[in-house]
Amino acid sequence: MQKIADRAQPMPDALRFDIYATSLGLALIAASEQGVCAIMFGDDYDCLQSEFRRRFNNAIISHHNASGRELASRVLAIIESQTVTPPPLDIRGTQFQKRVWLALLGIPAGSTISYKELASRIEASRSIRAVAGACAANPLAPVVPCHRVVRHDGALSGYRWGLARKQALLEREGAIERFPV
DNA sequence: ACTAGGGCCTGCG
DNA sequence: CGCAGGCCCTAGT
């Protein structure tokens, strides 16, 4: 009997990407045939590109074509906190991570919730720290809005791409006041 | 304000 | 496998 499907990537997949200048710094936006599969921020073009290639080292990588550019433009709009129809997403992660990330998509702009509340929302109220871990591993920020999750005491907590970006996103969405200091 | 410990998913060895 | 560590939270000084 032959193995039908591997749960990771059955075959080397074809990815397209480009790097754009945004209000949050450089953003690398990558997509597969399925949809957007990675968004990465950075301040150096070459570093971003090599990090991307290292992370998908068994993929066939090229630059965006017309449809890829169309997806990217929607991602860019979301990065700038504009309201647009979200692009199709190719969400890759463990079962648990996907549960967390899908729940994140249900948090409207302008609001925040705590890691605790997010945990109970996916029926895993004891897995608070694991939920935070899944947020930290979110490959599609800020389209998957993990920046809307903050600590129960109101502190911003952390952000994979730096707290300044999390803060900027929340300020623009009107979720938090401009920081007094 | 600070510290300790519970809980549990992940990545790496 | 086993283990350390994390974008946490609560309770107890």
Side-chain angles (χ1 to χ4, degrees):
Chain A
M1 194 81 160
Q2 207 171 347
K3 220 192 224 180
I4 300 174
D6 208 297
R7 80 175 64 128
Q9 264 83 54
M11 331 178 352
D13 50 357
L15 301 185
R16 296 181 177 279
F17 85 102
D18 269 315
I19 295 177
Y20 305 86
T22 78
S23 63
L24 299 179
L26 296 180
L28 185 154
I29 301 171
S32 68
E33 298 293 329
Q34 315 289 313
V36 179
C37 66
I39 302 168
M40 303 165 67
F41 288 95
D43 298 305
D44 180 84
Y45 190 100
D46 293 322
C47 289
L48 256 184
Q49 171 157 344
S50 58
E51 269 186 49
F52 170 65
R53 289 183 182 280
R54 179 151 35 91
R55 188 163 137 213
F56 296 97
N57 64 340
N58 47 0
I60 299 167
I61 292 173
S62 52
H63 282 276
H64 275 139
N65 55 16
S67 66
R69 277 189 290 278
E70 204 281 322
L71 294 187
S73 74
R74 286 197 253 170
V75 172
L76 289 168
I78 291 171
I79 288 174
E80 305 306 337
S81 305
Q82 297 160 12
T83 356
V84 294
T85 308
L89 303 177
D90 178 1
I91 300 182
R92 306 176 179 199
T94 66
Q95 201 90 48
F96 181 80
Q97 287 168 338
K98 287 183 200 169
R99 271 167 69 203
V100 173
W101 300 338
L102 290 179
L104 290 174
L105 290 172
I107 307 172
S111 65
T112 61
I113 69 171
S114 65
Y115 294 94
K116 183 188 183 186
E117 154 110 34
L118 180 55
S120 66
R121 206 172 276 194
I122 63 165
E123 323 252 298
S125 51
R126 285 160 298 177
S127 316
I128 305 170
R129 260 186 121 161
V131 163
C135 290
N138 167 28
L140 291 172
V143 174
V144 171
C146 66
H147 60 278
R148 293 178 193 144
V149 191
V150 299
R151 224 159 47 186
H152 193 244
D153 64 15
L156 285 192
S157 189
Y159 197 61
R160 163 109 168 267
W161 306 114
L163 267 179
R165 291 189 174 100
K166 184 173 190 172
Q167 185 178 326
L169 286 162
L170 289 174
E171 279 177 4
R172 275 185 207 161
E173 296 178 354
I176 59 172
E177 297 297 322
R178 212 166 256 272
F179 218 75
V181 172

